[in-house]
Structures are given as C-alpha cells and as structure tokens.
Amino acid sequence: MSESSLEEVAAELYAGPLDAFVAQRNARAKQAGERDVGEQIRALRKPSVAAWVVNVFARERRDELGQALRLADELREAQAELDAPALATLGRQRRALTARLAQEAAQLATARGERVTASTIEAVQQTIAAAFFNAEAAIAVASGRLIRELEPSADGPADIEDAVGGGLGAPSPATAPPPVDEVKARRERRAAERAVHDAEQHVIRAQRELDKAERELSTATRRREQLGERERKLKADLVDVQARLQSAREDVVDADEQHAAAELAAEKASRALETARGALARLEGSSGETQ
C-alpha cells in the first residue's frame, strides 16, 4: 500500500463514525497486505470530537472549504504586504466565514448522531481560523485527517505533523498555493483598487476645496457688490455736499458784502446821530441865552 493510499484510508477513518473509529481502524489494518502498512494504520490515533467534526466537514464540503481557504491565501498575502485596508476587509470576512463554517460543520456532525457542545463548536471555529493564519494549518484542515484541534497562530500550530493522522503530506488541489500568475494578478488588482481608492479620496478632497473656494468667491463677490453700492452712494453724497458747500461759500460772500454795507450804514447813521445831537445842543444853548 502506497503513502497516498495510507492517506486515503486515514481520511476515510477520520471522517467515519467516531465511536466506531478504533474497530474500523483495526479492521483496515488487518486488511492491509503489508505488515508495515498495517502497523501504520493501527498507529492512527482516534481524533478528538472537534477534530472529527472538522474532518467530516472537510470530506463532505470539500469545495466550500476550498473556497474558504483561498480567502486564507489572500489574507496571508495581505499580512505579508501589510495591506491595512485589505486586512481589515478580509479580517471581517474571516470572522464571519469561520463562524458560519463551524456552525455548518456542527450541523453535519449532529446529523450523524454526534452530540456537539458549545465548547466543541468554539474549538472547531478556532481550528478553521488557524487555516487562515498559516498555510500548513490550511493543508492540515483540508486533509480531513486531523487528530486534534488547532490554535490560530501566524507561526503555525506547534507539532502540526503530529496533529494529522498519516502525516501532513502534500497540499491538495483545494489548498495548494495559487499559481504565481494568479498571485501577481491579485496583487495587481489590489494595487489598482488602492489607486482607485486614493484617486477617489483625492477627488473628494478636491471637491471639498472647490466647494470651499466657491463659497469664499460668493462671499467676496457679495462684499464687493455691497461696497461698490456704498461707494456709489458716498460719491453721490459727496457731489451733493460739494454743491451745498459751494452754495454756502457763495452765501458767505453775499452775507459778508451785506455785513460790510450794513456796517458802513451804521457808521453813517452814528455820525448823523452825533451831528443831530450837536445841532440840538447848540439850539438849546442859544434859546437859553435869549431868555
């Protein structure tokens, strides 16, 4: 029996009935034609409940899991490139997706008659999440041969080879890294998306500046019109004041001439009065002497 056949047998056992695992394992070991292979099969350890739930899901929902793990590839690329916008988006997708996949896996296990607790569902979700952080964990999850649950870690779970029955092996088509051209295309697409986002933000900022400039222009235009109207009014007032001033100057000249004439007339009248008084006095003196 070849190594690939050993992996196939292990995958069948790890997705089979959990309470019958030991009996089926021993039976398949006896059926092996080679003693060494039989010993390898007999050495397969019984999976934990959470690992078994993930194995069932990996076997029955292989395409769905493969799509999820491609999202894991994108998440790891974004982490490597420190692409903050992509990380935020993919992180939200990861949390929602792992929760949904864990619930679906639990439903499959329940349909097989296995009791799945809340803590088991949490362990299943953590195991699936581990595949989003580390490529080897993704291969382990997709293998359908997990022995125990995994913990999410960028460095990968410790002793991951020991977490997979029959060894980690090579990545399956569902979990193999995407071709270089595909990776390049995704990076170029993200770069183009960032360029579009940056351009959109630039347009938004430029539009805000334009709106501000238009408001300032409108305010300045209104102020110019108000001051222009005021200038025209002041000029009209100035013309009126200048005309009144000229008239007042002329009135002053006329009044000055009238004042001079009146002053001269007053002086003449004063002299005439003095003359009349002198004449009267002389007449009165002459009358007294005659008496």
Side-chain angles (χ1 to χ4, degrees):
M1 182 178 289
S2 65
E3 183 180 356
S4 60
S5 297
L6 172 63
E7 292 178 0
E8 291 173 2
V9 171
E12 291 177 7
L13 291 173
Y14 280 113
L18 186 58
D19 55 359
F21 174 83
V22 175
Q24 291 185 355
R25 179 197 63 191
N26 294 340
R28 293 300 296 268
K30 289 180 180 180
Q31 294 171 4
E34 300 177 10
R35 180 176 178 180
D36 291 343
V37 174
E39 291 178 354
Q40 289 176 337
I41 294 175
R42 190 172 286 105
L44 296 174
R45 289 178 291 163
K46 182 177 180 179
S48 67
V49 176
W52 176 79
V53 172
V54 174
N55 293 337
V56 170
F57 184 77
R59 189 172 182 84
E60 295 193 12
R61 301 290 174 84
R62 187 175 188 81
D63 291 342
E64 185 176 356
L65 181 60
Q67 293 175 1
L69 294 181
R70 281 185 170 79
L71 174 62
D73 288 329
E74 294 185 9
L75 180 60
R76 287 191 294 274
E77 286 177 23
Q79 287 173 326
E81 296 173 4
L82 299 178
D83 187 342
L87 277 173
T89 300
L90 292 172
R92 289 191 295 270
Q93 293 177 355
R94 173 183 60 77
R95 289 187 291 273
L97 184 58
T98 54
R100 179 172 63 80
L101 296 180
Q103 288 296 331
E104 290 183 14
Q107 291 170 4
L108 288 175
T110 301
R112 289 191 173 200
E114 185 66 33
R115 179 174 176 271
V116 181
T117 64
S119 60
T120 297
I121 295 177
E122 182 178 358
V124 169
Q125 184 171 340
Q126 291 295 308
T127 299
I128 295 174
F132 283 74
F133 289 94
N134 181 268
E136 287 189 342
I139 296 172
V141 168
S143 72
R145 295 179 282 110
L146 283 177
I147 298 173
R148 56 175 172 80
E149 53 269 27
L150 305 177
E151 291 290 335
S153 172
D155 297 328
D159 301 325
I160 194 168
E161 284 282 350
D162 294 339
V164 180
L168 190 61
S172 66
T175 60
V180 174
D181 289 344
E182 182 181 342
V183 174
K184 180 181 178 182
R186 285 205 300 243
R187 288 176 178 170
E188 290 177 348
R189 183 180 68 250
R190 284 199 297 271
E193 289 172 350
R194 285 195 298 270
V196 170
H197 177 269
D198 292 343
E200 289 174 344
Q201 293 302 310
H202 182 71
V203 169
I204 291 172
R205 289 192 296 270
Q207 186 61 50
R208 287 175 181 168
E209 291 298 323
L210 176 60
D211 292 342
K212 180 182 177 182
E214 288 179 345
R215 289 194 299 270
E216 292 177 349
L217 175 60
S218 178
T219 300
T221 301
R222 287 197 303 271
R223 186 165 180 267
R224 182 194 62 186
E225 292 173 351
Q226 292 170 353
L227 291 174
E229 181 62 27
R230 185 179 177 187
E231 180 188 35
R232 287 189 292 273
K233 183 178 179 181
L234 288 174
K235 284 182 177 179
D237 290 344
L238 177 60
V239 171
D240 181 62
V241 169
Q242 287 175 337
R244 291 184 182 185
L245 176 60
Q246 183 61 33
S247 177
R249 286 171 177 167
E250 293 173 357
D251 290 343
V252 168
V253 172
D254 292 342
D256 186 58
E257 291 176 353
Q258 292 175 4
H259 175 270
E263 187 177 36
L264 180 60
E267 290 178 356
K268 289 180 179 180
S270 295
R271 287 195 296 271
L273 176 59
E274 291 295 327
T275 301
R277 284 177 177 173
L280 177 60
R282 286 192 297 274
L283 288 174
E284 289 177 347
S286 299
S287 296
E289 292 177 358
T290 301
Q291 297 176 353

